[in-house]
Amino acid sequence: MLKLVGKGTGLSLSSPSHSSSMDAVDTVRVVDSVLSQTASSSSSSSQNDTMKLIGAIDQGTSSTRFLLFTQQGEIAAWAQMEHIQIFPPDHPGWHEHDPLQIWNNVVTCIDAVVQAMDKQSNYNYSIAAIGITNQRETTVAWNAKTGKPYYNAIVWDDTRTTSVAHHIANAHGGGNVDKLRPQTGLPISSYFAGTKCKWLLDNVEELQKDMMSQPHNIRFGTIDTWILYQLTGIPTEESNNTDAANVGGVFLTDATNASRWLFLDLETVQWDPRLVDTVCSPHRVPLSALPTVMPSSHVYATLKKESTGIERLDGVPVASILGDQQAALFGQAAFEPGEAKNTYGTGMFLMMNTGTKPVPSQHGLLTTIAYQLDNQKTVYALEGSVSHSGSTIQWLRDQLQMISTASDSEKYATPSNDGLYLVPAFAGLFAPHWRSDARGCIVGITAAHHKGHILRAALEAAAYQARELFDAIYADSHVLLKSLKVDGGGTHNTLLMQFQADMINAPVVIPKVQETTAMGAAMAAGLAVGIWKDQSELRAMWQVERTFQPTMKESERQYNWLGWKRAVAKSLNWVETDGIDDHDMERFLDAETFTDDDDEYIAAVTGTYPKGYRVSVSSLLTIAAVGAGIGFVLGRRK
């Protein structure tokens, strides 16, 4: 049995004092030019007027932020604070966060922004509402009586529940990872929160005892639920201790986060006890242990000073919750079916709005909830999730020490990969493959390659994976995306953005406000309290900053693409996993594959495929091998 780990870090996890918050955060900034412009553009420019700002708690995998937005959708102030990444020794693939540290950082960031605004700003302001956006699937279990977690939060990319997912898929025979898809839209995978609940119930002794003796005090939640519970709870008698937590808070989640558990019926948007039993068996988890599912834009509660100690929050409504990728979709104003976005963060997530009916995926994508506004129909999406994108660059920086900063990846990357590919399957391959047996690999390496080629290959990997998702979305929806709206840290890398446009052969569009995740949460919160009257006003705020147009020749695009496919094939079967057959071995290919030897060769060279043709796996690899040989000779000549 396991107990809470990751403590003893030397961090104070009690509520931050007002005198220390600005010093405690990694970054805090007030954008006075934005505040000044906002005030001057209002009906009255008097500095005595109260300016209404909308707050957003953006709790991500590596850090926590609090941002204030103006009614024009611009960032007025923000603070950021990183938290410790816990990788338990002797457990490769495990990844945890300390829930109390995350809660502490939320309060510290809010307090730092308030202090900075009060100190630096010459304008009166109020916080009209606060929205929450969060890293999805990361799962916490806590006791409602004490407020304390039973164990660290298990992070979304943690692989410990791979065997749990395998056993669920193989229960009662069949080995079908898609058997819950008709209801949930999801494959059975370690990625989702339900498998993490099952692991906690299997392994944490205190949780097991309480489930037997006091199940009414058990609380399971994703990070949004944990933060809201703490924001709206009251301090315990141990409020001066470092392990302090609030109790009695509001216990709910929104539809977007709920759709990531394997417990939610997509049609009814409610927990299904049969799904809970299927995933958590033999444990009997009462629905009282799961948060109530609510719309994404809705006034859930009004904050009180004693919950955080921050007077400025007293009376402020919490009015939205959105999982981070859905928040980014909302922040990109992708309100119509067919509109999409791609986020380059720790992982990478391409999502397309499919309207008010869920679209089942036949090509490895997730059918998920995009958002649910108050008193309106649920809006659904297709999503492709990739576990490692920006974290690949972090790995090169921190583990291999090839670079000092993330921006160095572009600085030192070579103009071409020269035949070297990097597949960052560190936690297996997510969409569209769903291969937990895959592991990262670098292929095609020769004595002539150096770190610049590896850096180039790492950046290209993100674009190749996005192309896989791009193609799968087309195969499922038959909607060809005319452009791709992008956000996240990767958008600052011009090499990646240009290569992305080249590989999907479509424009890549960067918005003016790139903090679309936080902006989406703020927009949904403002909508709930009447700051904006409808989505047309939100769409009017979205503006283009820069567009990357594709410039690559089609023959070069196809040559690069075939090389990537060969590299992906090399990443498979590195972990012993039962239930993978020869048919599964071929699922790494595109959603649309082709067949006739003569036509497929012409297609691979020209990039034009005769309608109705399919290319076989062996033929694609043969073509790629021939192309690689030609490329080698040409490279030698050069």
Side-chain angles (χ1 to χ4, degrees), residues 462-530:
Y464 290 133
Q465 291 177 104
R467 161 75 184 268
E468 290 179 326
L469 304 178
F470 201 82
D471 289 353
I473 280 184
Y474 173 70
D476 272 334
S477 67
H478 304 292
V479 174
L480 183 62
L481 302 180
K482 296 181 180 179
S483 64
L484 185 63
K485 295 178 179 180
V486 296
D487 52 69
T491 59
H492 300 294
N493 191 305
T494 56
L495 188 159
L496 171 58
M497 292 297 98
Q498 183 57 56
F499 192 75
Q500 185 68 88
D502 288 336
M503 286 312 302
I504 64 173
N505 197 25
V508 169
V509 182
I510 299 177
K512 182 178 179 181
V513 177
Q514 295 183 38
E515 300 294 344
T516 54
T517 302
M519 187 171 180
M523 288 163 67
L527 203 61
V529 298

Side-chain angles (χ1 to χ4, degrees), residues 157-206:
D157 63 353
D158 185 291
T159 61
R160 79 186 66 188
T161 61
T162 298
S163 61
V164 172
H166 174 71
H167 288 304
I168 296 169
N170 283 276
H172 309 299
N176 182 10
V177 298
D178 290 327
K179 68 182 182 181
L180 301 184
R181 267 190 188 271
Q183 271 188 281
T184 67
L186 310 174
I188 300 171
S189 167
S190 62
Y191 182 23
F192 303 112
T195 64
K196 299 173 182 13
C197 289
K198 161 71 167 157
W199 187 93
L200 290 166
L201 289 163
D202 284 345
N203 292 278
V204 181
E205 186 174 8
E206 186 180 358

